């Protein structure tokens, strides 16, 4: 009898506790709730939370059992899945997770890099807009769609600084500049997380790849990174700090080793800096298989050692290596990993599940009706069109060929990208096969001109073709036209992960095609769609007008037509330097001066120069033209000295002196003339995007504070030193219109 009562009471207690896990009285704080779940968990269940697998079935197919995958979900031995799309699949899986002992909900992650259903411009293109509100809104829409489709977590933003366009992943970041990159990192995190986790349209952001992945030697993906601590702190870490400050829920570490230690097992990065100094409270996920890849790095002997190294270094979740799954429990049992380390990681993961509201309702993001609505929301396409046009950069416009008149009679549209749809999406689009949703450049022109103009079309060549067979047809239609638009660039899988290129010239015979058409004598506009800065010197030197259109996503065609015909005056500015040739790489504007700087390209004798190549890029950082002109004048500083921690105001007048209304991105650069460590020749410290009607003037004011004058000294202290600073305001890093100096007195 006693035994029966005991059994009954134990069962009652057990089920009562389970109910609390699912229901949770609201009075408890999240930390208390986490503790009560943790107490119930076995070691295997805890380790399970620290694993993430990729979904083993096609996005549109049924769930097919693969290995013991579903058994693990049912057994409560899996924390998260990636690559599961849609309300139906996520709901089905969550239902299986709800059959587990403790009913701990799964987290669904996905690479929502530049849009989910609606594909927005690639991040590098959006960075060219220098429009933080628009960038935030783009991430907001992506999050709204993804969350409506059952996704809790995006592996974005990528905030890696990138100075080498051979690296294919430059398309995924904000370019080469730390200040611009940090601003954008914050904007994208805010966009993804909206009003905060727990809201129905918020997904967790993931700042990646921590850290310094963008500095892979030679621009070769996954390669080692070797850099000074000062470069790390000054140029590569700030965008991550900005993401953490904006509340990024998660971080992802990286494939590379940093100065010999793989980032995945780098406790200096993950424990000392991120979780320590920056007090990051979210969790860290490894990159895909990066725990196990430490074996190939030669850092550990096997997955057992890999799991040990990664977990002790602060890596909370193992994406796809199965190293935690297979070895972590054993490592705890052998006292190699304190259970406290596992508890700490699990707490961080559970906390996000609580914050998302999944313990209260695991199906919170599984509403089919909402999914339908959000994935077919016409507003989203309008917003995509808006940021797409803002991302386009006008590189050249001789004799004001652009904007084109809508009364042109005949336009020849030539080139392999003119009618292409999928190529408009670029790498990392979530790949919806519905081509009706994507507006090709040709369709964009049709939409803009209706039946008013005759459009002639010839492909000319393929993107990578070596054949010129299509040239004659293209020349023939060019000869019949009033103006020719040539659309060239990269295929969507030529920039992106594992897409490093040693040759970043326009691929195939595309530049030959441009030459052939140019020789007809017709006015030529070239559109270049690509995921990275490309080299196209002949084109840049000869054709009248060039628009760099990146990969703009679904609304590419409409946005490009808006710019071509002047319904939008281009305002984009390059977020990365465009090299003259690969031999200059890496090339970036904020370099040090050296002791033997070359004044110009004739100044090569024992100079820091090439004897056979210019040191100047083709197009500098911050460069981009407009259909109008802007005058900068009337620079005033509120004081010639900064002292006692005060600030100074820097103001000037910007005037639109041309015929079109338009926006100018005014850029403020500083140089510390003499310091205890060598400083860059200039550094972007602020910018403003200003809209002006023709003839209109506005006063623009920047505030110079101590933060803008600070740098890391030799001891890695963030300090200022008294002395003279050069202030430069301009339209690009190389087009400085206003200059003055000021003094910092004291520290
Ligand atoms: C990439 C990450 C990505 C992950 C998941 C990795 O190969 O480096 O950026 O989030 O895969 O797809």
């Amino acid at each position: 009898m006693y035994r029966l009562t005991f059994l009954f009471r134990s069962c009652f207690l057990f089920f009562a506790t389970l109910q609390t896990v699912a229901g949770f009285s609201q009075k408890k704080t999240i930390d208390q709730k986490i503790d009560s779940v943790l107490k119930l968990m076995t070691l295997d269940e805890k380790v399970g939370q620290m694993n993430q697998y990729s979904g083993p079935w096609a996005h549109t197919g049924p769930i097919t059992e693969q290995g013991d995958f579903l058994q693990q979900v049912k057994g409560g031995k899996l924390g998260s899945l990636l690559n599961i799309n849609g309300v139906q699949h996520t709901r089905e899986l969550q239902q299986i997770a709800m059959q587990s002992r403790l009913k701990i909900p799964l987290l669904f992650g996905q690479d929502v890099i530049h849009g989910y259903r609606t594909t927005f411009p690639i991040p590098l293109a959006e960075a060219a807009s220098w429009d933080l509100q628009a960038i935030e809104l783009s991430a907001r829409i992506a999050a709204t769609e993804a969350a409506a489709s059952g996704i809790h977590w995006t592996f974005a933003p990528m905030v890696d600084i990138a100075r080498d366009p051979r690296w294919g992943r430059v398309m995924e970041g904000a370019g080469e500049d730390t200040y611009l990159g940090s601003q954008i990192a914050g904007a994208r995190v805010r966009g993804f997380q909206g009003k905060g986790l727990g809201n129905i349209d918020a997904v967790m952001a993931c700042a990646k790849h921590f850290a310094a992945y963008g500095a892979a030697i030679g621009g070769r993906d996954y390669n080692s990174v070797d850099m000074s601590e000062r470069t790390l702190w000054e140029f590569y870490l700030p965008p991550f700090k900005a993401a953490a400050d904006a509340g990024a829920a998660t971080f992802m570490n990286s494939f590379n080793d940093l100065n010999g230690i793989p980032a995945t097992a780098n406790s200096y990065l993950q424990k000392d800096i991120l979780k320590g100094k920056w007090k990051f409270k979210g969790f860290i996920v490894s990159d895909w298989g990066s725990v196990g890849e430490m074996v190939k790095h030669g850092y550990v002997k096997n997955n057992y050692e890999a799991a040990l190294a990664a977990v002790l270094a602060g890596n909370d979740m193992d994406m796809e290596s199965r190293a935690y799954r297979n070895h972590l429990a054993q490592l705890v049992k052998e006292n190699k990993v304190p259970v406290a380390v596992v508890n700490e990681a699990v707490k961080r993961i559970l906390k996000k599940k609580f914050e998302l509201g999944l313990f209260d309702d695991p199906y919170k993001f599984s509403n089919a009706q909402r999914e339908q609505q959000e994935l077919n929301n016409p507003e989203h396409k309008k917003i995509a069109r808006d940021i797409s046009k803002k991302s386009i950069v006008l590189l050249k416009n001789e004799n004001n060929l652009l904007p084109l008149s809508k009364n042109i009679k005949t336009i020849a549209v030539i080139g392999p990208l003119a009618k292409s749809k999928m190529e408009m999406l670029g790498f990392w689009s979530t790949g919806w096969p519905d081509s009706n949703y994507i507006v090709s450049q040709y369709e964009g022109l049709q939409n803009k001109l209706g039946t008013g103009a005759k459009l002639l079309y010839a492909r000319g060549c393929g993107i990578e073709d070596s054949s010129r067979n299509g040239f004659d047809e293209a020349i023939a239609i060019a000869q019949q036209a009033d103006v020719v638009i040539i659309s060239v660039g990269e295929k969507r899988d030529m920039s992106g992960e594992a897409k490093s290129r040693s040759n970043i010239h326009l691929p195939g015979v595309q530049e030959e095609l441009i030459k052939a058409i140019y020789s007809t004598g017709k006015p030529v506009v070239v559109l270049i769609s690509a995921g990275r800065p490309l080299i196209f010197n002949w084109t840049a030197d000869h054709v009248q007008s060039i628009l760099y259109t990146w990969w703009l996503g679904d609304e590419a065609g409409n946005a490009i037509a808006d710019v071509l015909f002047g319904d939008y005056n281009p305002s984009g500015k390059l977020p990365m330097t465009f090299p003259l040739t690969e031999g200059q790489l890496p090339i970036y504007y904020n370099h040090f001066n050296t002791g033997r700087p070359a004044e110009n390209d004739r100044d090569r004798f024992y100079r820091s120069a090439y004897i056979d190549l210019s040191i100047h890029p083709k197009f500098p950082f911050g460069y981009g033209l407009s259909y109008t002109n802007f005058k900068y004048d009337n620079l005033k500083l509120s004081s010639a000295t900064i002292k006692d921690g005060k600030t100074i105001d820097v103001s000037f007048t910007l005037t639109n002196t041309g015929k079109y209304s338009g926006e100018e991105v005014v850029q403020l650069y500083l140089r510390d003339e003499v310091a205890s460590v060598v400083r860059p020749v200039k550094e972007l410290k602020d910018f403003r995007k200003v809209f002006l009607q023709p003839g209109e003037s506005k006063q623009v004011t920047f505030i110079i504070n101590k933060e803008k004058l600070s740098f890391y000294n030799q001891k890695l202290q963030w300090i200022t030193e008294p002395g003279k600073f050069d202030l430069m305001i301009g339209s690009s890093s190389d087009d400085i219109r206003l200059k003055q100096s000021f003094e910092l007195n004291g520290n």
Side-chain angles (χ1 to χ4, degrees):
M1 180 62 189
Y2 171 78
R3 285 183 58 163
L4 255 183
T5 319
F6 174 76
L7 201 68
F8 178 73
R9 281 193 51 205
S10 313
C11 285
F12 174 78
L13 273 178
F14 180 70
F15 286 114
T17 332
L18 276 193
Q19 269 182 356
T20 343
V21 172
F24 279 108
S25 104
Q26 289 305 311
K27 280 180 217 123
K28 285 190 172 177
T29 65
I30 285 190
D31 287 334
Q32 287 167 332
K33 291 176 189 178
I34 294 168
D35 284 340
S36 36
V37 181
L38 201 70
K39 271 191 211 135
L40 299 173
M41 295 174 80
T42 63
L43 179 59
D44 278 350
E45 284 166 341
K46 289 178 185 174
V47 168
Q49 286 302 309
M50 297 168 69
N51 286 280
Q52 182 183 53
Y53 301 165
S54 182
W57 56 85
H59 291 180
T60 48
I63 296 182
T64 53
E65 179 114 24
Q66 214 191 56
D68 62 350
F69 169 80
L70 291 182
Q71 281 314 319
Q72 285 180 53
V73 178
K74 214 181 272 178
K77 308 274 173 54
L78 192 65
S80 176
L81 282 156
L82 74 154
N83 294 335
I84 313 284
N85 278 342
V87 155
Q88 191 198 332
H89 282 160
T90 50
R91 177 182 278 276
E92 280 175 38
L93 272 158
Q94 206 66 292
Q95 278 165 345
I96 299 172
M98 288 306 112
Q99 293 167 31
S100 67
R101 197 177 74 90
L102 293 179
K103 302 186 187 341
I104 298 178
L106 288 165
L107 274 180
F108 298 111
Q110 174 78 29
D111 290 288
V112 182
I113 307 294
H114 53 111
Y116 181 69
R117 174 69 181 99
T118 310
T119 305
F120 283 81
I122 56 166
L124 186 64
E126 289 194 353
S129 75
W130 297 53
D131 187 327
L132 299 175
Q133 275 179 355
I135 292 170
E136 184 172 332
L137 185 58
S138 153
R140 187 82 291 280
I141 303 300
T144 305
E145 292 184 354
S149 203
I151 289 163
H152 309 133
W153 180 16
T154 174
F155 305 122
M158 183 186 105
V159 302
D160 297 314
I161 293 299
R163 293 168 159 182
D164 190 334
R166 289 173 298 180
W167 190 49
R169 297 197 83 166
V170 299
M171 53 86 38
E172 233 182 296
E176 76 189 38
D177 184 64
T178 303
Y179 180 80
L180 179 62
S182 301
Q183 299 294 312
I184 291 176
R188 298 196 73 210
V189 169
R190 286 191 296 275
F192 288 129
Q193 299 191 168
K195 296 207 175 82
L197 303 189
N199 285 286
I200 198 70
D201 58 0
V203 296
M204 297 198 292
C206 181
K208 70 188 189 185
H209 305 83
F210 197 62
Y213 180 44
I217 294 171
R220 181 156 55 80
D221 209 1
Y222 314 126
N223 205 2
S224 296
V225 174
D226 202 85
M227 69 167 54
S228 74
E229 285 276 303
R230 259 192 340 105
T231 298
L232 176 72
W233 278 93
E234 191 143 332
F235 298 104
Y236 286 82
L237 289 183
F240 287 100
K241 176 69 165 55
D245 288 347
T250 69
F251 266 56
M252 183 185 290
N253 55 40
S254 51
F255 291 121
N256 58 286
D257 72 84
L258 175 62
N259 303 331
I261 312 293
T264 306
N266 199 313
S267 79
Y268 172 58
L269 288 174
Q270 299 177 107
K271 281 169 73 175
D272 299 352
I273 299 176
L274 182 56
K275 292 178 176 175
K277 197 172 164 59
W278 295 354
K279 301 189 169 42
F280 170 69
K281 296 285 178 265
F283 69 88
I284 304 176
V285 63
S286 76
D287 204 343
W288 181 297
S290 69
V291 176
E293 286 174 18
M294 292 194 291
V295 177
K296 288 258 167 69
H297 269 287
Y299 187 69
V300 289
K301 274 206 217 80
N302 46 36
N303 271 3
Y304 169 90
E305 287 187 4
L308 176 67
V311 81
L312 291 183
N315 177 82
D316 301 302
M317 188 179 275
D318 171 1
M319 181 197 285
E320 272 292 327
S321 282
R322 310 289 201 270
Y324 281 10
R325 182 203 151 177
N326 293 332
H327 304 289
L328 194 48
Q330 185 193 348
L331 284 161
V332 173
K333 285 177 197 145
E334 290 170 358
N335 289 328
K336 297 211 164 113
V337 172
V339 74
V341 170
V342 169
N343 286 347
E344 168 68 20
V346 175
K347 279 185 184 184
R348 285 174 179 266
I349 294 163
L350 292 182
K351 184 157 195 167
K352 295 301 156 199
K353 296 187 176 186
F354 272 108
E355 286 174 359
L356 284 162
L358 293 175
F359 274 97
D360 290 325
D361 178 6
Y363 308 110
K364 184 172 172 182
F365 297 92
S366 310
N367 177 329
Q369 201 188 339
R370 200 161 64 84
E371 181 179 45
Q372 269 304 312
Q373 263 164 19
E374 292 299 353
L375 300 196
N376 294 290
N377 186 336
E379 271 307 299
H380 296 180
K381 288 193 59 109
K382 283 193 205 146
I383 295 167
R385 180 171 179 164
D386 185 62
I387 185 145
S388 296
K389 50 196 196 195
K390 289 177 170 159
S391 304
I392 295 170
V393 184
L394 177 64
L395 293 180
K396 190 175 178 193
N397 197 20
E398 227 169 59
N399 303 323
N400 297 323
L401 172 61
L402 294 177
L404 299 174
S405 153
K406 287 180 191 154
N407 298 324
I408 291 184
K409 296 236 160 36
T410 309
I411 302 176
V413 186
I414 294 171
L417 282 144
K419 281 199 172 177
S420 141
K421 292 206 170 205
M422 292 312 278
E423 306 307 339
M424 295 298 104
L425 299 184
F427 203 87
W428 285 122
S429 64
T430 45
W432 296 80
D434 173 7
S435 64
N436 289 331
Y437 213 68
I438 309 162
V439 184
S440 72
Q441 297 174 1
Y442 187 83
E443 286 169 341
L445 293 170
Q446 282 178 320
N447 295 344
K448 180 68 65 188
L449 300 171
T451 50
K454 191 162 155 201
L455 294 184
L456 306 172
Y457 168 76
R459 185 159 168 267
C461 63
I463 295 173
E464 290 175 287
D465 273 5
S466 52
S467 157
R468 290 153 210 242
N469 288 345
F471 282 22
D472 287 348
E473 185 199 358
I475 292 169
I477 67 154
Q479 274 158 346
Q480 299 165 42
D482 301 308
V483 66
V484 188
I485 298 172
I486 311 180
S487 175
V488 293
E490 285 189 308
K491 272 173 40 183
R492 68 193 290 242
D493 63 356
M494 292 180 100
S495 288
E497 183 177 351
K499 302 292 178 283
S500 295
R501 289 175 60 199
S502 64
N503 172 349
I504 58 167
H505 282 63
L506 264 178
V509 290
Q510 295 183 95
E511 198 154 42
E512 298 306 309
L513 175 68
I514 297 171
K515 286 181 193 170
I517 304 298
Y518 177 82
S519 67
T520 63
K522 295 287 179 174
V524 171
V525 180
V526 169
L527 309 175
I528 304 177
S529 303
R532 54 153 63 87
L534 289 177
I535 296 168
F536 43 90
N537 294 332
W538 188 92
T539 303
D541 293 343
H542 292 85
V543 304
Q544 291 92 323
S545 294
I546 304 171
L547 289 171
Y548 213 76
T549 57
W550 314 99
W551 287 325
L552 292 177
D554 291 329
E555 283 295 311
N558 286 332
I560 291 170
D562 286 340
V563 170
L564 284 171
F565 292 93
D567 289 332
Y568 182 76
N569 182 356
S571 61
K573 302 272 187 180
L574 299 177
M576 266 190 99
T577 304
F578 276 44
L580 193 60
T581 183
E582 292 89 350
Q584 294 179 322
L585 298 176
I587 185 168
Y588 46 94
Y589 83 96
N590 51 349
H591 56 85
F592 297 152
N593 206 27
T594 81
R596 293 188 178 190
E599 290 299 323
N600 54 51
D601 278 340
R602 288 180 310 280
D603 186 20
R604 287 177 173 162
F605 193 65
Y606 288 89
R607 293 287 166 193
S608 178
Y610 300 107
I611 58 171
D612 58 353
L613 176 64
S614 165
I615 52 167
H616 298 292
K618 191 69 191 172
F619 297 107
F621 172 81
Y623 172 83
L625 303 173
S626 162
Y627 296 153
T628 192
N629 297 305
F630 296 97
K631 188 173 87 188
Y632 291 61
D633 64 359
N634 218 4
L635 177 63
K636 287 197 188 94
L637 272 63
S638 62
S639 165
T641 49
I642 301 193
K643 48 187 162 198
D644 310 326
K646 299 234 168 63
T647 61
I648 54 172
D649 289 354
V650 173
S651 57
F652 67 97
T653 311
L654 184 75
T655 307
N656 180 346
T657 56
K659 288 195 299 216
Y660 298 91
S661 58
E663 290 155 296
E664 168 74 326
V665 178
V666 296
Q667 300 159 42
L668 175 119
Y669 296 90
L670 291 178
R671 177 175 182 182
D672 188 345
E673 283 204 351
V674 179
S676 59
V677 291
V678 174
R679 305 296 304 136
V681 291
K682 58 181 73 122
E683 287 179 283
L684 183 75
K685 288 292 176 181
D686 213 339
F687 63 86
R688 210 60 54 74
K689 193 158 185 169
V690 186
F691 177 84
L692 291 174
Q693 296 290 354
E696 193 188 359
S697 294
K698 273 187 190 153
Q699 176 157 312
V700 181
T701 304
F702 292 114
I703 297 169
I704 309 282
N705 55 21
K706 208 173 141 181
E707 183 67 15
K708 292 197 191 314
L709 310 178
S710 301
F711 63 91
Y712 285 100
N713 67 6
Q714 226 184 342
K715 292 182 184 154
L716 294 182
Q717 293 157 325
W718 182 242
I719 57 146
T720 51
E721 285 174 356
K724 196 167 161 205
F725 287 80
D726 297 332
L727 175 125
M728 295 158 269
I729 293 174
S731 179
S732 89
S733 61
D734 205 28
D735 182 8
I736 300 302
R737 308 284 182 88
L738 300 168
K739 237 177 153 171
Q740 205 162 314
S741 301
F742 62 88
E743 287 277 337
L744 172 68
N745 283 351
N747 293 312

